[in-house]
Amino acid sequence: VLMDAHGNIWLIDFDRGVLRKPARGWQQANLARLRRSLRKRVGKAIESAAIGEGWDALLSAYGANMGLDPREPRG
């Protein structure tokens, strides 16, 4: 996770990276993997209101950029 001088956040993961067309299955799997990774780092704090708001913002931005409906259930 990178943050630039303007407050923009970038998720960088080159592990097995490939360019793909948007598809719900792999997009949801990526989000679930990120959440598991965050949970390993911050433990149960990821369920706190502040982190929850950040997670919701991330999901909305990700959905807007990847063609997902942010109102649908997520991992």
Side-chain angles (χ1 to χ4, degrees), residues 18-43:
V18 295
L19 291 175
R20 303 184 201 183
K21 290 182 181 180
R24 180 156 312 279
W26 69 260
Q27 290 171 314
Q28 295 293 357
N30 282 351
L31 291 171
R33 182 175 174 215
L34 174 61
R35 190 161 181 93
R36 284 191 306 271
S37 294
L38 291 172
R39 192 171 278 134
K40 284 181 187 177
R41 284 281 186 201
V42 298

Side-chain angles (χ1 to χ4, degrees), residues 3-70:
M3 188 168 166
D4 67 21
H6 303 288
N8 297 310
I9 297 174
W10 306 90
L11 297 176
I12 308 296
D13 182 0
F14 296 111
D15 180 38
R16 296 177 278 152
V18 295
L19 291 175
R20 303 184 201 183
K21 290 182 181 180
R24 180 156 312 279
W26 69 260
Q27 290 171 314
Q28 295 293 357
N30 282 351
L31 291 171
R33 182 175 174 215
L34 174 61
R35 190 161 181 93
R36 284 191 306 271
S37 294
L38 291 172
R39 192 171 278 134
K40 284 181 187 177
R41 284 281 186 201
V42 298
K44 295 198 180 237
I46 195 165
E47 306 304 333
S48 74
I51 292 176
E53 289 173 16
W55 182 253
D56 287 343
L58 179 139
L59 292 178
S60 292
Y62 185 88
N65 286 288
M66 299 300 287
L68 292 174
D69 183 345

